[in-house]
Amino acid sequence: EYAINSTPRRMICEAVEDVCEALCYEGPLTVTISVPEGEEAATHTFNSHLGIEGGISILGTSGIVEPMSIAALLESIRLDVSMQRSEGMPLALMVPGNYGVTFIKGRFGIPSERLIQCSNYVGDAVDMCLAEGFDRIVMVAHTGKFIKVSGGIMNTHSRDADSRMELMLAAAAEAAWTLKKGDVFTLEEQIKLLDAATTTAGLEQLQDLGLLDETCKVVIRKIQKALEYRAKGKAQIECVLYENNFGELAATEHAHELIQEVSEWMRTHMSDAR
């Protein structure tokens, strides 16, 4: 189940159902998913760490692969930043990818065309925003990606850096100290957190321990500090941290205020356009 994301899973089911309908078949089916050389490709991923063995994951939220060189991808981000600025956006509203687009549309009602997708290139995207004259940036991101940023990692691709659970452990330890819950966050629990296969599993553990909210506050504070350091004090940077199973986990002080400003700008912009 963990090896195939929800969108490709839905696409597979729809394709099989189309064939069944065309053939008027209503009986049971066994579907085998096969990826040529998938086992070899999997050796270059973190699948084994997630307990996925024998092949590669089927990922993606759009079902469409858009191959790009790093230079082309960075140029695409730069173009997006420039377009948002030229169209009068009052600030840069940024997400890493499709999960962020889905979250912010559902949570705040802001469509994808008003969002800058920075992929893994968080630091480069901040630099581009500054170069285009944005002095306010809001980052809305999934914990699995942005917990890396809390450690100053500005390229979140797994081939360049991971340390997700180490950073979550450090934040949780600070949270336990603040809440005086050292007796709850025992050495055994710390090792369990460090060995968690995913950030989602780690968050669930922290929730059970009563440390989730405070840990997320620590994480988002560190994310904001790291991004402000990257911006060299030239921009106000706010953040919203979310996770698919939990929804919004934490937000910096003025994040919602700035997102609301974007919503109001959109209403005015659309009214003027009409």
Side-chain angles (χ1 to χ4, degrees):
E1 180 175 352
Y2 293 110
I4 305 180
N5 274 13
S6 57
T7 296
R9 183 190 299 272
R10 189 191 72 244
M11 295 173 72
I12 291 166
C13 290
E14 288 174 352
V16 172
E17 287 167 0
D18 287 345
V19 174
C20 290
E21 184 177 346
L23 298 176
C24 299
Y25 179 75
E26 297 181 354
L29 285 172
T30 298
V31 178
T32 301
I33 308 300
S34 177
V35 180
E37 301 181 4
E39 191 168 358
E40 167 60 24
T43 63
H44 304 291
T45 73
F46 280 87
N47 274 12
S48 60
H49 179 66
L50 299 173
I52 300 169
E53 298 179 353
I56 197 165
S57 302
I58 311 298
L59 304 176
T61 54
S62 67
I64 301 170
V65 176
E66 299 179 12
M68 280 189 179
S69 67
I70 293 176
L73 183 52
L74 288 171
E75 187 55 35
S76 177
I77 298 169
R78 190 186 310 278
L79 180 62
D80 200 3
V81 173
S82 177
M83 183 188 73
Q84 298 295 346
R85 183 65 174 169
S86 67
E87 290 185 353
M89 271 283 282
L91 54 95
L93 186 53
M94 197 171 298
V95 297
N98 289 324
Y99 283 139
V101 171
T102 300
F103 172 78
I104 202 168
K105 183 177 180 180
R107 178 77 170 82
F108 301 104
I110 296 176
S112 58
E113 56 265 27
R114 294 275 66 101
L115 306 176
I116 299 166
Q117 293 193 46
C118 66
S119 185
N120 292 299
Y121 304 98
V122 179
D124 290 308
V126 169
D127 297 344
M128 293 171 192
C129 287
L130 296 177
E132 286 293 334
F134 281 114
D135 60 3
R136 295 181 300 166
I137 302 169
V138 180
M139 294 276 197
V140 181
H142 188 278
T143 316
K145 280 284 185 190
F146 259 49
I147 196 163
K148 299 179 185 181
V149 179
S150 72
I153 297 169
M154 292 292 147
N155 183 332
T156 59
H157 198 291
S158 58
R159 70 167 172 254
D160 292 318
D162 190 6
S163 69
R164 291 166 301 157
M165 305 320 299
E166 289 84 353
L167 290 166
M168 185 175 287
L169 173 60
E174 182 175 334
W177 176 267
T178 300
L179 297 174
K180 295 181 172 56
K181 286 193 173 184
D183 57 327
V184 171
F185 198 46
T186 62
L187 180 59
E188 181 180 358
E189 291 290 350
Q190 292 173 39
I191 294 172
K192 179 182 175 183
L193 180 61
L194 194 59
D195 288 341
T198 65
T199 51
T200 302
L203 293 172
E204 289 170 350
Q205 180 186 345
L206 294 175
Q207 185 179 49
D208 292 342
L209 296 173
L211 295 173
L212 178 62
D213 291 345
E214 188 63 31
T215 298
C216 291
K217 289 178 184 177
V218 174
V219 170
I220 203 163
R221 186 180 73 242
K222 291 180 179 293
I223 290 172
Q224 185 179 36
K225 183 177 180 180
L227 291 172
E228 286 175 342
Y229 180 80
R230 177 71 180 221
K232 298 180 175 62
K234 297 178 181 178
Q236 174 188 355
I237 299 184
E238 304 291 336
C239 312
V240 176
L241 193 66
Y242 73 91
E243 205 279 335
N244 295 346
N245 293 358
F246 290 87
E248 184 175 317
L249 291 167
T252 54
E253 184 178 0
H254 300 292
H256 284 227
E257 174 187 324
L258 294 190
I259 293 172
Q260 180 61 32
E261 185 176 334
V262 171
S263 296
E264 292 173 358
W265 176 85
M266 283 177 53
R267 283 194 290 272
T268 303
H269 184 72
M270 292 174 65
S271 177
D272 290 345
R274 286 195 295 268

